[in-house]
Amino acid sequence: MTRTIDGNAVAADVRDDVAECVATLEAAGVTPGLATVLMSEDPASETYVSMKQRDCEEVGIEGIDVELDADAPAAELFETIDDLNAREDVHGILVQLPVPDHVDKRRVLRRIAPEKDVDGFHPENVGRLVAGDARFKPCTPHGVQKLLEAYDVETEGADAVVVGRSDIVGKPMANLLIQKSPVGNATTTVCHSRTEDLAGKLADADIVIAAAGMPEFIDGSMLKPGATVIDVGINRVDADTEKGYALVGDVDYESASEVAGAITPVPGGVGPMTRAMLLYNTVQAASLQHDVEIDL
Ligand code: NAD
């Protein structure tokens, strides 16, 4: 029987753990703080930031909400980051991506103090992750690892296929799966837009992590029976709904769930985990900065 991997339930457990860590930090005189920086008028980005602020409030993390005009000079964003780097009440900094075209994203990521880089995108943190000494694991792949762990999916010796090679999902995901550590030790193949014969790679995969941003392009006929399917994709497709669209994953859930051993739905799979792991990384940042031990 196919198991549905419930991201909402696992994320709720993570949030409970985070709330306990917040209490431990508070008892030591530390209120964890997360600054979100929004330099965009994109409604989706605005929604993501307000959700992150709401998540903080729920677990007792102090949210610091900074908004800049989308056409402000890049220097203003860099100065904002410098100020947040220097603030003692700010333990984590997240600049909502994408930033406007006139701002160099790589310079932004390098500007954030690595010890406050709760997204895990600073080159120092990327390097540490690859070296097997992660400070902060990027939220989405970290959330996927938590889901695999929560559902006792054996990764050791498994053949895993990651579909997508982005810096925020595909690459760190593959790096985590190959680490000699729990929820690692998988034989991992990374597929991307230039991969020939994706179906051939998927046919042998015990674990599929789909993160290509292509609506429902992986279907049940491409999967190995019993495979664990983690669908990271979130795609808007036209639909006869109130909003005029629906959200679907990269996987065709209906046909895939007839073949898979376990599968995440969209929504309600990876999405809530990404949000929860940001809170996790924030309390971890506060713990490291103040040398207060927490139980995560
Ligand atoms: P991206 O556009 O940066 O990367 C997509 C990757 O998919 C690229 O590396 C590309 O090579 C690969 N790709 C494209 N077409 C392909 C094909 N036909 N076959 C194989 N590979 C192909 O996207 P991203 O930021 O990594 O996000 C991927 C998806 O995950 C998007 O739908 C995004 O909305 C979603 N996402 C979800 C969460 C979450 O919390 N659930 C978080 C981040 C991203």
Side-chain angles (χ1 to χ4, degrees), residues 48 105 139-141 144 162-171 190-195 198 210-215 217-218 231-236 248-250 266 269-275:
Y48 289 142
K105 181 183 90 173
C139 301
T140 301
V144 171
V162 178
V163 186
R165 58 173 162 188
S166 71
D167 292 338
I168 63 168
V169 187
K171 280 186 205 160
V190 181
C191 295
H192 47 75
S193 52
R194 309 292 171 88
T195 296
L198 175 69
M214 304 263 290
F217 84 118
I218 296 172
D231 191 353
V232 179
I234 302 178
N235 309 289
R236 252 186 206 204
V248 299
D250 286 358
V266 177
V270 177
M273 293 305 296
T274 298
R275 289 168 61 181

mmCIF file of all heavy atoms in Angstrom, residues 48 105 139-141 144 162-171 190-195 198 210-215 217-218 231-236 248-250 266 269-275, ligand 1:
data_model
loop_
_atom_site.group_PDB
_atom_site.id
_atom_site.type_symbol
_atom_site.label_atom_id
_atom_site.label_comp_id
_atom_site.label_asym_id
_atom_site.label_seq_id
_atom_site.Cartn_x
_atom_site.Cartn_y
_atom_site.Cartn_z
ATOM 1 N N TYR A 48 5.437 34.839 0.669
ATOM 2 C CA TYR A 48 6.419 33.976 1.331
ATOM 3 C C TYR A 48 6.971 34.660 2.578
ATOM 4 O O TYR A 48 7.088 34.043 3.639
ATOM 5 C CB TYR A 48 7.583 33.630 0.381
ATOM 6 C CG TYR A 48 7.207 32.685 -0.737
ATOM 7 C CD1 TYR A 48 7.743 32.843 -2.009
ATOM 8 C CD2 TYR A 48 6.325 31.631 -0.520
ATOM 9 C CE1 TYR A 48 7.404 31.974 -3.041
ATOM 10 C CE2 TYR A 48 5.988 30.766 -1.548
ATOM 11 C CZ TYR A 48 6.518 30.945 -2.804
ATOM 12 O OH TYR A 48 6.177 30.081 -3.822
ATOM 13 N N LYS A 105 22.943 38.865 -7.189
ATOM 14 C CA LYS A 105 22.506 37.908 -6.149
ATOM 15 C C LYS A 105 23.703 37.307 -5.403
ATOM 16 O O LYS A 105 23.681 37.148 -4.181
ATOM 17 C CB LYS A 105 21.683 36.792 -6.802
ATOM 18 C CG LYS A 105 21.163 35.760 -5.828
ATOM 19 C CD LYS A 105 20.420 34.646 -6.520
ATOM 20 C CE LYS A 105 21.349 33.521 -6.887
ATOM 21 N NZ LYS A 105 20.693 32.329 -7.429
ATOM 22 N N CYS A 139 17.105 24.950 3.675
ATOM 23 C CA CYS A 139 15.840 24.523 4.290
ATOM 24 C C CYS A 139 15.108 23.422 3.514
ATOM 25 O O CYS A 139 14.588 22.478 4.124
ATOM 26 C CB CYS A 139 14.932 25.728 4.448
ATOM 27 S SG CYS A 139 15.694 26.996 5.473
ATOM 28 N N THR A 140 15.054 23.531 2.192
ATOM 29 C CA THR A 140 14.258 22.541 1.451
ATOM 30 C C THR A 140 14.906 21.150 1.486
ATOM 31 O O THR A 140 14.244 20.180 1.891
ATOM 32 C CB THR A 140 14.005 23.024 0.008
ATOM 33 O OG1 THR A 140 13.302 24.277 0.080
ATOM 34 C CG2 THR A 140 13.184 22.028 -0.777
ATOM 35 N N PRO A 141 16.178 21.011 1.103
ATOM 36 C CA PRO A 141 16.753 19.665 1.186
ATOM 37 C C PRO A 141 16.831 19.134 2.620
ATOM 38 O O PRO A 141 16.656 17.935 2.847
ATOM 39 C CB PRO A 141 18.153 19.823 0.582
ATOM 40 C CG PRO A 141 18.389 21.262 0.389
ATOM 41 C CD PRO A 141 17.082 21.970 0.418
ATOM 42 N N VAL A 144 13.512 17.738 3.317
ATOM 43 C CA VAL A 144 13.340 16.434 2.645
ATOM 44 C C VAL A 144 14.007 15.343 3.485
ATOM 45 O O VAL A 144 13.440 14.266 3.709
ATOM 46 C CB VAL A 144 13.933 16.465 1.212
ATOM 47 C CG1 VAL A 144 13.950 15.060 0.606
ATOM 48 C CG2 VAL A 144 13.150 17.430 0.323
ATOM 49 N N VAL A 162 18.042 12.634 -8.044
ATOM 50 C CA VAL A 162 17.599 14.002 -7.802
ATOM 51 C C VAL A 162 17.372 14.637 -9.172
ATOM 52 O O VAL A 162 18.278 14.644 -10.009
ATOM 53 C CB VAL A 162 18.672 14.805 -7.014
ATOM 54 C CG1 VAL A 162 18.220 16.246 -6.817
ATOM 55 C CG2 VAL A 162 18.966 14.142 -5.673
ATOM 56 N N VAL A 163 16.168 15.129 -9.407
ATOM 57 C CA VAL A 163 15.867 15.747 -10.709
ATOM 58 C C VAL A 163 15.906 17.261 -10.515
ATOM 59 O O VAL A 163 15.029 17.842 -9.872
ATOM 60 C CB VAL A 163 14.492 15.298 -11.235
ATOM 61 C CG1 VAL A 163 14.272 15.835 -12.648
ATOM 62 C CG2 VAL A 163 14.378 13.778 -11.222
ATOM 63 N N GLY A 164 16.944 17.893 -11.024
ATOM 64 C CA GLY A 164 17.155 19.336 -10.827
ATOM 65 C C GLY A 164 18.513 19.565 -10.187
ATOM 66 O O GLY A 164 18.948 18.761 -9.352
ATOM 67 N N ARG A 165 19.181 20.639 -10.608
ATOM 68 C CA ARG A 165 20.532 20.900 -10.092
ATOM 69 C C ARG A 165 20.679 22.349 -9.638
ATOM 70 O O ARG A 165 21.733 22.959 -9.788
ATOM 71 C CB ARG A 165 21.564 20.588 -11.175
ATOM 72 C CG ARG A 165 21.335 21.398 -12.434
ATOM 73 C CD ARG A 165 22.431 21.226 -13.451
ATOM 74 N NE ARG A 165 21.974 21.668 -14.758
ATOM 75 C CZ ARG A 165 22.649 21.503 -15.880
ATOM 76 N NH1 ARG A 165 23.812 20.914 -15.862
ATOM 77 N NH2 ARG A 165 22.173 21.930 -17.022
ATOM 78 N N SER A 166 19.588 22.915 -9.100
ATOM 79 C CA SER A 166 19.676 24.309 -8.657
ATOM 80 C C SER A 166 20.530 24.404 -7.395
ATOM 81 O O SER A 166 20.736 23.416 -6.683
ATOM 82 C CB SER A 166 18.279 24.871 -8.372
ATOM 83 O OG SER A 166 17.753 24.286 -7.206
ATOM 84 N N ASP A 167 21.000 25.643 -7.132
ATOM 85 C CA ASP A 167 21.829 25.854 -5.934
ATOM 86 C C ASP A 167 21.023 25.714 -4.657
ATOM 87 O O ASP A 167 21.577 25.433 -3.597
ATOM 88 C CB ASP A 167 22.456 27.259 -5.973
ATOM 89 C CG ASP A 167 23.480 27.382 -7.091
ATOM 90 O OD1 ASP A 167 24.003 26.339 -7.534
ATOM 91 O OD2 ASP A 167 23.745 28.519 -7.525
ATOM 92 N N ILE A 168 19.701 25.940 -4.749
ATOM 93 C CA ILE A 168 18.919 25.928 -3.506
ATOM 94 C C ILE A 168 18.273 24.578 -3.209
ATOM 95 O O ILE A 168 17.960 24.285 -2.068
ATOM 96 C CB ILE A 168 17.857 27.054 -3.478
ATOM 97 C CG1 ILE A 168 16.813 26.880 -4.579
ATOM 98 C CG2 ILE A 168 18.487 28.420 -3.581
ATOM 99 C CD1 ILE A 168 15.613 27.796 -4.367
ATOM 100 N N VAL A 169 18.066 23.765 -4.239
ATOM 101 C CA VAL A 169 17.439 22.460 -3.985
ATOM 102 C C VAL A 169 18.316 21.304 -4.487
ATOM 103 O O VAL A 169 18.843 20.514 -3.696
ATOM 104 C CB VAL A 169 16.026 22.343 -4.623
ATOM 105 C CG1 VAL A 169 15.374 21.035 -4.158
ATOM 106 C CG2 VAL A 169 15.135 23.513 -4.272
ATOM 107 N N GLY A 170 18.457 21.192 -5.805
ATOM 108 C CA GLY A 170 19.067 19.989 -6.390
ATOM 109 C C GLY A 170 20.479 19.715 -5.887
ATOM 110 O O GLY A 170 20.769 18.598 -5.415
ATOM 111 N N LYS A 171 21.361 20.723 -5.992
ATOM 112 C CA LYS A 171 22.759 20.469 -5.602
ATOM 113 C C LYS A 171 22.904 20.142 -4.122
ATOM 114 O O LYS A 171 23.535 19.138 -3.772
ATOM 115 C CB LYS A 171 23.623 21.682 -5.958
ATOM 116 C CG LYS A 171 24.031 21.737 -7.422
ATOM 117 C CD LYS A 171 25.011 22.904 -7.599
ATOM 118 C CE LYS A 171 25.017 23.432 -8.998
ATOM 119 N NZ LYS A 171 25.565 24.785 -9.086
ATOM 120 N N VAL A 190 22.317 12.850 -10.282
ATOM 121 C CA VAL A 190 21.676 14.161 -10.449
ATOM 122 C C VAL A 190 21.280 14.322 -11.916
ATOM 123 O O VAL A 190 22.139 14.272 -12.798
ATOM 124 C CB VAL A 190 22.610 15.312 -10.025
ATOM 125 C CG1 VAL A 190 21.903 16.656 -10.189
ATOM 126 C CG2 VAL A 190 23.085 15.128 -8.588
ATOM 127 N N CYS A 191 19.985 14.499 -12.159
ATOM 128 C CA CYS A 191 19.502 14.721 -13.521
ATOM 129 C C CYS A 191 19.139 16.191 -13.695
ATOM 130 O O CYS A 191 18.819 16.873 -12.723
ATOM 131 C CB CYS A 191 18.277 13.855 -13.792
ATOM 132 S SG CYS A 191 18.661 12.093 -13.747
ATOM 133 N N HIS A 192 19.198 16.669 -14.914
ATOM 134 C CA HIS A 192 18.941 18.085 -15.173
ATOM 135 C C HIS A 192 18.426 18.260 -16.593
ATOM 136 O O HIS A 192 18.131 17.264 -17.276
ATOM 137 C CB HIS A 192 20.210 18.909 -14.903
ATOM 138 C CG HIS A 192 21.432 18.320 -15.516
ATOM 139 N ND1 HIS A 192 21.678 18.401 -16.859
ATOM 140 C CD2 HIS A 192 22.428 17.582 -14.965
ATOM 141 C CE1 HIS A 192 22.806 17.766 -17.115
ATOM 142 N NE2 HIS A 192 23.280 17.247 -15.988
ATOM 143 N N SER A 193 18.361 19.513 -17.023
ATOM 144 C CA SER A 193 17.725 19.790 -18.318
ATOM 145 C C SER A 193 18.474 19.161 -19.495
ATOM 146 O O SER A 193 17.909 18.994 -20.574
ATOM 147 C CB SER A 193 17.607 21.301 -18.518
ATOM 148 O OG SER A 193 18.863 21.909 -18.322
ATOM 149 N N ARG A 194 19.735 18.837 -19.327
ATOM 150 C CA ARG A 194 20.487 18.226 -20.438
ATOM 151 C C ARG A 194 20.612 16.704 -20.289
ATOM 152 O O ARG A 194 21.351 16.072 -21.028
ATOM 153 C CB ARG A 194 21.899 18.818 -20.525
ATOM 154 C CG ARG A 194 21.962 20.330 -20.554
ATOM 155 C CD ARG A 194 21.379 20.878 -21.853
ATOM 156 N NE ARG A 194 21.263 22.333 -21.779
ATOM 157 C CZ ARG A 194 22.212 23.196 -22.113
ATOM 158 N NH1 ARG A 194 23.353 22.764 -22.572
ATOM 159 N NH2 ARG A 194 22.017 24.485 -21.996
ATOM 160 N N THR A 195 19.915 16.156 -19.318
ATOM 161 C CA THR A 195 19.980 14.705 -19.130
ATOM 162 C C THR A 195 19.271 13.994 -20.275
ATOM 163 O O THR A 195 18.159 14.371 -20.644
ATOM 164 C CB THR A 195 19.308 14.315 -17.782
ATOM 165 O OG1 THR A 195 20.066 14.888 -16.729
ATOM 166 C CG2 THR A 195 19.218 12.813 -17.601
ATOM 167 N N LEU A 198 15.924 10.553 -19.040
ATOM 168 C CA LEU A 198 15.528 10.692 -17.637
ATOM 169 C C LEU A 198 14.739 9.463 -17.179
ATOM 170 O O LEU A 198 14.960 8.938 -16.085
ATOM 171 C CB LEU A 198 14.678 11.964 -17.453
ATOM 172 C CG LEU A 198 14.088 12.175 -16.067
ATOM 173 C CD1 LEU A 198 15.175 12.482 -15.042
ATOM 174 C CD2 LEU A 198 13.052 13.303 -16.081
ATOM 175 N N ALA A 210 12.067 15.082 -6.891
ATOM 176 C CA ALA A 210 11.753 15.840 -8.107
ATOM 177 C C ALA A 210 11.776 17.335 -7.800
ATOM 178 O O ALA A 210 10.996 17.818 -6.981
ATOM 179 C CB ALA A 210 10.374 15.424 -8.617
ATOM 180 N N ALA A 211 12.681 18.056 -8.446
ATOM 181 C CA ALA A 211 12.806 19.504 -8.206
ATOM 182 C C ALA A 211 13.214 20.192 -9.496
ATOM 183 O O ALA A 211 14.270 20.806 -9.590
ATOM 184 C CB ALA A 211 13.822 19.772 -7.098
ATOM 185 N N ALA A 212 12.339 20.082 -10.493
ATOM 186 C CA ALA A 212 12.643 20.665 -11.799
ATOM 187 C C ALA A 212 11.743 21.855 -12.122
ATOM 188 O O ALA A 212 12.057 22.646 -13.001
ATOM 189 C CB ALA A 212 12.502 19.607 -12.893
ATOM 190 N N GLY A 213 10.615 21.971 -11.427
ATOM 191 C CA GLY A 213 9.700 23.063 -11.734
ATOM 192 C C GLY A 213 8.946 22.841 -13.031
ATOM 193 O O GLY A 213 8.649 23.783 -13.764
ATOM 194 N N MET A 214 8.628 21.583 -13.321
ATOM 195 C CA MET A 214 7.872 21.233 -14.545
ATOM 196 C C MET A 214 6.602 20.495 -14.105
ATOM 197 O O MET A 214 6.701 19.389 -13.555
ATOM 198 C CB MET A 214 8.698 20.280 -15.420
ATOM 199 C CG MET A 214 10.059 20.818 -15.786
ATOM 200 S SD MET A 214 10.026 21.568 -17.384
ATOM 201 C CE MET A 214 9.809 20.128 -18.404
ATOM 202 N N PRO A 215 5.424 21.083 -14.382
ATOM 203 C CA PRO A 215 4.200 20.492 -13.844
ATOM 204 C C PRO A 215 3.963 19.045 -14.267
ATOM 205 O O PRO A 215 3.916 18.754 -15.459
ATOM 206 C CB PRO A 215 3.082 21.418 -14.354
ATOM 207 C CG PRO A 215 3.721 22.373 -15.298
ATOM 208 C CD PRO A 215 5.193 22.312 -15.131
ATOM 209 N N PHE A 217 5.423 16.286 -14.729
ATOM 210 C CA PHE A 217 6.087 15.667 -15.892
ATOM 211 C C PHE A 217 6.668 14.283 -15.581
ATOM 212 O O PHE A 217 7.117 13.586 -16.476
ATOM 213 C CB PHE A 217 7.126 16.604 -16.509
ATOM 214 C CG PHE A 217 8.491 16.593 -15.879
ATOM 215 C CD1 PHE A 217 9.613 16.213 -16.611
ATOM 216 C CD2 PHE A 217 8.654 16.968 -14.570
ATOM 217 C CE1 PHE A 217 10.866 16.207 -16.044
ATOM 218 C CE2 PHE A 217 9.911 16.967 -13.990
ATOM 219 C CZ PHE A 217 11.013 16.579 -14.717
ATOM 220 N N ILE A 218 6.624 13.904 -14.312
ATOM 221 C CA ILE A 218 7.043 12.535 -13.968
ATOM 222 C C ILE A 218 5.786 11.744 -13.635
ATOM 223 O O ILE A 218 5.040 12.119 -12.720
ATOM 224 C CB ILE A 218 8.011 12.548 -12.764
ATOM 225 C CG1 ILE A 218 9.298 13.286 -13.144
ATOM 226 C CG2 ILE A 218 8.296 11.132 -12.275
ATOM 227 C CD1 ILE A 218 10.247 13.518 -11.986
ATOM 228 N N ASP A 231 8.227 15.039 -3.892
ATOM 229 C CA ASP A 231 7.928 16.025 -4.938
ATOM 230 C C ASP A 231 8.146 17.437 -4.384
ATOM 231 O O ASP A 231 7.343 17.945 -3.603
ATOM 232 C CB ASP A 231 6.466 15.839 -5.383
ATOM 233 C CG ASP A 231 6.151 16.621 -6.645
ATOM 234 O OD1 ASP A 231 7.004 17.402 -7.095
ATOM 235 O OD2 ASP A 231 5.023 16.431 -7.168
ATOM 236 N N VAL A 232 9.250 18.053 -4.800
ATOM 237 C CA VAL A 232 9.574 19.402 -4.319
ATOM 238 C C VAL A 232 8.855 20.460 -5.162
ATOM 239 O O VAL A 232 8.571 21.559 -4.685
ATOM 240 C CB VAL A 232 11.107 19.635 -4.361
ATOM 241 C CG1 VAL A 232 11.463 21.031 -3.887
ATOM 242 C CG2 VAL A 232 11.841 18.588 -3.525
ATOM 243 N N GLY A 233 8.528 20.118 -6.374
ATOM 244 C CA GLY A 233 7.981 21.101 -7.318
ATOM 245 C C GLY A 233 6.697 21.759 -6.838
ATOM 246 O O GLY A 233 5.839 21.124 -6.210
ATOM 247 N N ILE A 234 6.605 23.045 -7.105
ATOM 248 C CA ILE A 234 5.354 23.787 -6.870
ATOM 249 C C ILE A 234 5.098 24.582 -8.139
ATOM 250 O O ILE A 234 5.843 25.512 -8.458
ATOM 251 C CB ILE A 234 5.461 24.759 -5.668
ATOM 252 C CG1 ILE A 234 5.839 24.018 -4.390
ATOM 253 C CG2 ILE A 234 4.141 25.509 -5.479
ATOM 254 C CD1 ILE A 234 6.013 24.929 -3.178
ATOM 255 N N ASN A 235 4.100 24.175 -8.876
ATOM 256 C CA ASN A 235 3.833 24.812 -10.168
ATOM 257 C C ASN A 235 2.382 25.260 -10.235
ATOM 258 O O ASN A 235 1.486 24.534 -9.829
ATOM 259 C CB ASN A 235 4.077 23.800 -11.308
ATOM 260 C CG ASN A 235 5.436 23.126 -11.193
ATOM 261 O OD1 ASN A 235 6.454 23.750 -11.412
ATOM 262 N ND2 ASN A 235 5.442 21.829 -10.843
ATOM 263 N N ARG A 236 2.207 26.477 -10.743
ATOM 264 C CA ARG A 236 0.857 27.001 -10.948
ATOM 265 C C ARG A 236 0.349 26.577 -12.304
ATOM 266 O O ARG A 236 1.017 26.816 -13.310
ATOM 267 C CB ARG A 236 0.930 28.524 -10.963
ATOM 268 C CG ARG A 236 0.350 29.150 -9.742
ATOM 269 C CD ARG A 236 0.343 30.645 -9.956
ATOM 270 N NE ARG A 236 0.384 31.279 -8.666
ATOM 271 C CZ ARG A 236 -0.056 32.487 -8.431
ATOM 272 N NH1 ARG A 236 -0.533 33.234 -9.393
ATOM 273 N NH2 ARG A 236 -0.006 32.981 -7.220
ATOM 274 N N VAL A 248 0.367 22.359 -8.519
ATOM 275 C CA VAL A 248 0.684 20.936 -8.713
ATOM 276 C C VAL A 248 2.198 20.762 -8.597
ATOM 277 O O VAL A 248 2.969 21.706 -8.752
ATOM 278 C CB VAL A 248 0.203 20.401 -10.084
ATOM 279 C CG1 VAL A 248 -1.304 20.512 -10.215
ATOM 280 C CG2 VAL A 248 0.903 21.113 -11.236
ATOM 281 N N GLY A 249 2.588 19.533 -8.348
ATOM 282 C CA GLY A 249 4.008 19.235 -8.233
ATOM 283 C C GLY A 249 4.640 18.910 -9.579
ATOM 284 O O GLY A 249 4.046 19.130 -10.640
ATOM 285 N N ASP A 250 5.841 18.359 -9.518
ATOM 286 C CA ASP A 250 6.529 17.898 -10.734
ATOM 287 C C ASP A 250 6.082 16.481 -11.088
ATOM 288 O O ASP A 250 6.409 15.960 -12.151
ATOM 289 C CB ASP A 250 8.047 17.881 -10.503
ATOM 290 C CG ASP A 250 8.639 19.284 -10.483
ATOM 291 O OD1 ASP A 250 7.897 20.257 -10.687
ATOM 292 O OD2 ASP A 250 9.864 19.398 -10.248
ATOM 293 N N VAL A 266 1.330 17.496 -3.099
ATOM 294 C CA VAL A 266 1.558 18.936 -3.294
ATOM 295 C C VAL A 266 0.180 19.580 -3.399
ATOM 296 O O VAL A 266 -0.599 19.194 -4.278
ATOM 297 C CB VAL A 266 2.348 19.223 -4.597
ATOM 298 C CG1 VAL A 266 2.488 20.738 -4.807
ATOM 299 C CG2 VAL A 266 3.711 18.561 -4.569
ATOM 300 N N GLY A 269 3.349 18.585 1.348
ATOM 301 C CA GLY A 269 4.496 17.676 1.445
ATOM 302 C C GLY A 269 5.742 18.442 1.880
ATOM 303 O O GLY A 269 5.950 18.691 3.065
ATOM 304 N N VAL A 270 6.535 18.825 0.886
ATOM 305 C CA VAL A 270 7.819 19.475 1.179
ATOM 306 C C VAL A 270 7.644 20.938 1.630
ATOM 307 O O VAL A 270 8.403 21.434 2.462
ATOM 308 C CB VAL A 270 8.746 19.397 -0.064
ATOM 309 C CG1 VAL A 270 10.057 20.119 0.181
ATOM 310 C CG2 VAL A 270 9.003 17.938 -0.439
ATOM 311 N N GLY A 271 6.627 21.608 1.086
ATOM 312 C CA GLY A 271 6.445 23.044 1.382
ATOM 313 C C GLY A 271 6.457 23.376 2.873
ATOM 314 O O GLY A 271 7.248 24.217 3.313
ATOM 315 N N PRO A 272 5.603 22.722 3.683
ATOM 316 C CA PRO A 272 5.608 23.040 5.115
ATOM 317 C C PRO A 272 6.948 22.728 5.788
ATOM 318 O O PRO A 272 7.334 23.383 6.770
ATOM 319 C CB PRO A 272 4.505 22.142 5.697
ATOM 320 C CG PRO A 272 3.880 21.420 4.573
ATOM 321 C CD PRO A 272 4.549 21.774 3.298
ATOM 322 N N MET A 273 7.676 21.754 5.243
ATOM 323 C CA MET A 273 8.984 21.401 5.819
ATOM 324 C C MET A 273 9.997 22.520 5.585
ATOM 325 O O MET A 273 10.789 22.841 6.454
ATOM 326 C CB MET A 273 9.512 20.095 5.207
ATOM 327 C CG MET A 273 8.721 18.878 5.562
ATOM 328 S SD MET A 273 8.539 18.665 7.344
ATOM 329 C CE MET A 273 10.240 18.417 7.855
ATOM 330 N N THR A 274 9.960 23.101 4.383
ATOM 331 C CA THR A 274 10.890 24.197 4.085
ATOM 332 C C THR A 274 10.699 25.323 5.101
ATOM 333 O O THR A 274 11.662 25.877 5.642
ATOM 334 C CB THR A 274 10.625 24.725 2.655
ATOM 335 O OG1 THR A 274 10.874 23.665 1.735
ATOM 336 C CG2 THR A 274 11.510 25.904 2.312
ATOM 337 N N ARG A 275 9.440 25.635 5.389
ATOM 338 C CA ARG A 275 9.147 26.714 6.339
ATOM 339 C C ARG A 275 9.626 26.343 7.740
ATOM 340 O O ARG A 275 10.207 27.171 8.453
ATOM 341 C CB ARG A 275 7.650 27.006 6.349
ATOM 342 C CG ARG A 275 7.192 27.671 5.075
ATOM 343 C CD ARG A 275 5.688 27.699 4.945
ATOM 344 N NE ARG A 275 5.030 28.445 6.006
ATOM 345 C CZ ARG A 275 3.709 28.590 6.107
ATOM 346 N NH1 ARG A 275 2.921 28.045 5.199
ATOM 347 N NH2 ARG A 275 3.177 29.285 7.084
HETATM 348 P P1 NAD B 1 15.272 26.047 -10.804
HETATM 349 O O1 NAD B 1 14.467 26.540 -11.951
HETATM 350 O O2 NAD B 1 16.345 26.895 -10.246
HETATM 351 O O3 NAD B 1 15.939 24.657 -11.219
HETATM 352 C C1 NAD B 1 15.243 23.691 -11.947
HETATM 353 C C2 NAD B 1 16.190 22.580 -12.300
HETATM 354 O O4 NAD B 1 15.465 21.597 -13.017
HETATM 355 C C3 NAD B 1 17.335 23.018 -13.184
HETATM 356 O O5 NAD B 1 18.540 22.606 -12.567
HETATM 357 C C4 NAD B 1 17.131 22.283 -14.509
HETATM 358 O O6 NAD B 1 18.340 21.795 -15.048
HETATM 359 C C5 NAD B 1 16.226 21.130 -14.096
HETATM 360 N N1 NAD B 1 15.316 20.755 -15.181
HETATM 361 C C6 NAD B 1 14.530 21.547 -15.920
HETATM 362 N N2 NAD B 1 13.867 20.829 -16.818
HETATM 363 C C7 NAD B 1 14.225 19.549 -16.660
HETATM 364 C C8 NAD B 1 13.868 18.328 -17.296
HETATM 365 N N3 NAD B 1 12.998 18.288 -18.301
HETATM 366 N N4 NAD B 1 14.446 17.200 -16.858
HETATM 367 C C9 NAD B 1 15.321 17.204 -15.840
HETATM 368 N N5 NAD B 1 15.684 18.339 -15.186
HETATM 369 C C10 NAD B 1 15.144 19.486 -15.602
HETATM 370 O O7 NAD B 1 14.222 25.619 -9.718
HETATM 371 P P2 NAD B 1 14.351 25.397 -8.115
HETATM 372 O O8 NAD B 1 14.457 26.700 -7.457
HETATM 373 O O9 NAD B 1 15.326 24.328 -7.825
HETATM 374 O O10 NAD B 1 12.876 24.840 -7.856
HETATM 375 C C11 NAD B 1 12.405 23.663 -8.472
HETATM 376 C C12 NAD B 1 10.940 23.499 -8.159
HETATM 377 O O11 NAD B 1 10.795 23.339 -6.771
HETATM 378 C C13 NAD B 1 10.058 24.683 -8.527
HETATM 379 O O12 NAD B 1 8.794 24.195 -8.894
HETATM 380 C C14 NAD B 1 9.954 25.465 -7.248
HETATM 381 O O13 NAD B 1 8.780 26.234 -7.171
HETATM 382 C C15 NAD B 1 9.942 24.340 -6.248
HETATM 383 N N6 NAD B 1 10.435 24.669 -4.912
HETATM 384 C C16 NAD B 1 9.694 24.228 -3.882
HETATM 385 C C17 NAD B 1 10.119 24.434 -2.595
HETATM 386 C C18 NAD B 1 9.288 23.894 -1.482
HETATM 387 O O14 NAD B 1 9.441 24.326 -0.363
HETATM 388 N N7 NAD B 1 8.447 22.905 -1.752
HETATM 389 C C19 NAD B 1 11.289 25.128 -2.340
HETATM 390 C C20 NAD B 1 12.066 25.555 -3.428
HETATM 391 C C21 NAD B 1 11.614 25.310 -4.716
#
